[in-house]
Amino acid sequence: MKAVVWNGRGDIRVENVRDPEILNPRDAIVRVTATAICGSDMHLYNGIMPMLQPGDILGHEFMGIVEEVGSAVTNLRRGDRVVVPFTISCGNCESCLREKYSLCQNSNPNASIAERLYGYSCAGLYGYTHLFGGYSGGQAEFVRVPYADVGPIAVDSGLRDEQVLYLSDIFPTGYMAAENCDIKRGDVIAVWGCGPVGQFAIRSAFMLGAERVIAIDRIPERLQMAANGGATPVNFDDVNVLEALNELTGGRGPDSCIDCVGMEAHGHTPDAVADRVKQSVKLSFDRAHVLRLAIQSVGPGGTVSIPGVYGGFVDKVPMGAVFEKGLQLRTGQTHVQRYLRPLLDRIRREEIDPSFIITHRGSLDDAPAFYYDMATHADAMVKSFLVPQLAASGERETEGAAATLSGGSGRTGA
Amino acid sequence: MSDRRKAAALIAAGAAAGATLTFLTRRTRARLRKPVTQVLTIAAGRDRVEQFLESREQMNQALGDRDLFGKIDRLELRSAPGGRGTEMYLTMRGIGKYATKDILRRVKSCIEAGEIPTGKRYAA
């Protein structure tokens, strides 16, 4: 089968690899009908996350059709259409029973390595380094899905792949980030990073009752998309963000701040420059400029919610501000399984159509170019939608298919 | 620097490296010989854990290597507080703390999830 394979920093290729097979009784094999490149895949593309090996298959956002199930999977059948959460969870351990699925105690076969770095391990993740289990990812024609009786959710035929694919990660991630803010009517929320997770955090904050959402980024198309979702855009290239937030909140500061950027923050201040230098010489994984800004700018008693990925040790964190302002920091990988059904219901009720996020469509063969576009913010890339079978069937090359895809692998407009 | 001095420096460096290597090897061996105790909580009642431990076939699966049976020094079960399951203390000789913890993890996975996870890749 074809799969998107990491071969080194900035080196993504589409290669032929062996088909996956059932290895455990609770496994399933899914034929991927749609997949996407996540913002957090950029940390892999840029070679920042440790323990990725050449030849690893990437991708943790995917959905498809069940092709085969293991002997212990009784709730899925061949032919079922499913969306698969990016967190792999057994459903039986204490964390899973408490619905903290991303902290599953059984799904990471390399838990001892993660434990040495973090004290305790978190769940296994698809296509996200050997630190999180070394599971092959879903940017492929087929994928092995462990604990298939717990993770995947069956979706109705009435909904298009474009509408439900993002239940696998970015929609629940944005939603959990907003939910972590304990939003009350009238709250003002500041969101750093208007990439895919940021866009869903903005819309989720409104769904949960925020009065105003302030979106901070520097890429005009992303700020425009945020504004389309009702947010007040702030371009950090043009203004001092701390002053702008103070002014936009009547001097109170945002009630909560959401850091959707994580370990690759951009900035112009000395701390951002120092982070960049340290990261480039491998002295640090993380550039935490946004985290510092979020802590500094949030109002007293506020919450800083962190869905952006961090991997290692962050310095210069203003803990004085955390303590003196009595802040809460809430973070973690998303407990996707907890949100699948409620968010699917919101899509069914047409409260949100997640397909608004798609700016680029294509097949697996387009993945290397899309990775490049996403890493460099070229061609106004926000989110991709990849159909693995497209190139294989030759559909993309036909006029009709090109019309369906609004220009094949090209941009479809935000 | 004269050739004589160069040779002396090289010999000194080689001797220092050899001594360090010998020290590290001996220390590692000594550490491995010492019994190591690790603990994990299994989200299951004591009866179920005992039943698993008594099954030779299931324990073989969890240990992954029959020879490891002989390296078990002590195995103790305690009820975890708040009905959170069973704490399993395992003391093993000669394999170190990480390998000991991995055995506990495999036992935990077998009991809780019914299988041992694997991320075995299928890339080319």
Side-chain angles (χ1 to χ4, degrees), chain A residues 24-170:
Chain A
N24 273 332
R26 294 175 67 186
D27 287 357
I29 302 297
V30 168
R31 176 168 53 84
V32 179
T33 56
T35 180
I37 300 168
C38 183
S40 61
D41 286 330
M42 292 303 105
H43 309 319
L44 308 177
Y45 180 79
N46 292 327
I48 291 169
M49 281 298 285
M51 295 196 66
L52 195 60
Q53 293 173 4
D56 283 348
I57 300 172
L58 302 181
H60 55 266
E61 296 178 356
F62 58 92
M63 62 176 294
I65 307 291
V66 175
E67 284 287 312
E68 194 183 346
V69 292
S71 57
V73 180
T74 52
N75 62 331
L76 292 177
R77 280 181 305 176
R78 186 182 154 90
D80 281 351
R81 180 172 174 244
V82 291
V83 175
V84 183
F86 78 94
T87 44
I88 302 170
S89 310
C90 75
N92 305 100
C93 67
E94 190 187 0
S95 300
C96 289
L97 293 173
R98 293 180 177 206
E99 293 198 320
K100 294 181 176 180
Y101 294 100
S102 72
L103 305 178
C104 176
Q105 297 167 19
N106 286 316
S107 64
N108 185 356
N110 297 333
S112 63
I113 304 170
E115 197 174 273
R116 277 174 241 185
L117 191 58
Y118 302 131
Y120 293 89
S121 172
C122 72
L125 308 175
Y126 293 99
Y128 214 77
T129 80
H130 292 259
L131 193 58
F132 302 110
Y135 289 100
S136 293
Q139 287 164 12
E141 289 179 308
F142 296 92
V143 63
R144 170 183 161 246
V145 175
Y147 302 120
D149 52 336
V150 173
I153 183 174
V155 287
D156 351 321
S157 54
L159 295 167
R160 291 173 293 123
D161 282 6
E162 288 92 329
Q163 290 176 288
V164 290
L165 168 65
Y166 302 114
L167 283 170
S168 58
D169 178 358
I170 53 172

Side-chain angles (χ1 to χ4, degrees), chain A residues 1 16-18 20 24-26 54-56 92-94 105-106 111-112 115-116 133-136 143-144 147, chain B residues 38 40-41 43 61 82 84 98 101-102 105 108-124:
Chain A
M1 68 163 184
N16 281 313
V17 301
R18 275 176 35 217
N24 273 332
R26 294 175 67 186
D56 283 348
N92 305 100
C93 67
E94 190 187 0
Q105 297 167 19
N106 286 316
S112 63
E115 197 174 273
R116 277 174 241 185
Y135 289 100
S136 293
V143 63
R144 170 183 161 246
Y147 302 120
Chain B
Q38 294 284 292
L40 265 187
T41 300
Q61 189 194 0
R84 297 170 76 174
Y98 295 115
K101 192 72 173 275
D102 280 341
R105 274 203 195 90
K108 180 178 165 72
S109 291
C110 286
I111 295 174
E112 290 182 352
E115 61 188 39
I116 296 171
T118 173
K120 184 181 159 194
R121 72 192 233 183
Y122 39 87

Side-chain angles (χ1 to χ4, degrees), chain A residues 151-364:
Chain A
I153 183 174
V155 287
D156 351 321
S157 54
L159 295 167
R160 291 173 293 123
D161 282 6
E162 288 92 329
Q163 290 176 288
V164 290
L165 168 65
Y166 302 114
L167 283 170
S168 58
D169 178 358
I170 53 172
F171 186 13
T173 298
Y175 190 88
M176 186 172 115
E179 193 183 68
N180 276 344
C181 296
D182 289 331
I183 296 172
K184 294 171 186 61
R185 292 258 159 231
D187 274 6
V188 179
I189 312 295
V191 177
W192 268 266
C194 296
V197 170
Q199 298 292 344
F200 280 105
I202 289 166
R203 283 150 180 86
S204 301
F206 280 124
M207 281 196 272
L208 292 169
E211 175 82 22
R212 186 177 211 180
V213 180
I214 301 163
I216 304 149
D217 205 301
R218 65 172 178 176
I219 297 166
E221 295 84 3
R222 293 183 174 207
L223 285 169
Q224 183 56 52
M225 192 184 266
N228 294 345
T232 307
V234 168
N235 187 328
F236 71 80
D237 273 347
D238 299 337
V239 296
N240 178 313
V241 174
L242 281 175
E243 287 172 10
L245 288 176
N246 189 265
E247 196 181 316
L248 286 166
T249 56
R252 298 183 306 276
D255 296 291
S256 295
C257 291
I258 304 179
D259 169 6
C260 297
V261 177
M263 69 203 304
E264 290 191 74
H266 297 275
H268 316 295
T269 52
D271 69 294
V273 175
D275 283 347
R276 189 171 272 281
V277 172
K278 286 173 69 180
Q279 196 181 59
S280 61
V281 295
K282 303 274 182 198
L283 273 175
S284 166
F285 293 155
D286 306 290
R287 305 200 307 257
H289 175 62
V290 163
L291 177 62
R292 295 185 198 106
L293 267 180
I295 290 172
Q296 204 71 28
S297 59
V298 69
T303 300
V304 177
S305 167
I306 312 163
V309 174
Y310 286 91
F313 302 88
V314 172
D315 59 7
K316 301 181 291 295
V317 171
M319 274 312 290
V322 174
F323 179 79
E324 300 299 347
K325 291 196 288 183
L327 304 182
Q328 282 192 70
L329 301 184
R330 299 186 71 178
T331 185
Q333 297 282 4
T334 312
H335 308 303
V336 182
Q337 288 87 338
R338 187 201 293 175
Y339 297 100
L340 283 174
R341 200 152 297 283
L343 294 184
L344 180 62
D345 287 343
R346 283 185 186 268
I347 296 170
R348 279 196 194 116
R349 292 196 299 266
E350 297 182 3
E351 289 176 31
I352 185 167
D353 178 357
S355 65
F356 78 88
I357 198 80
I358 300 170
T359 54
H360 289 64
R361 294 168 189 253
S363 71
L364 276 187

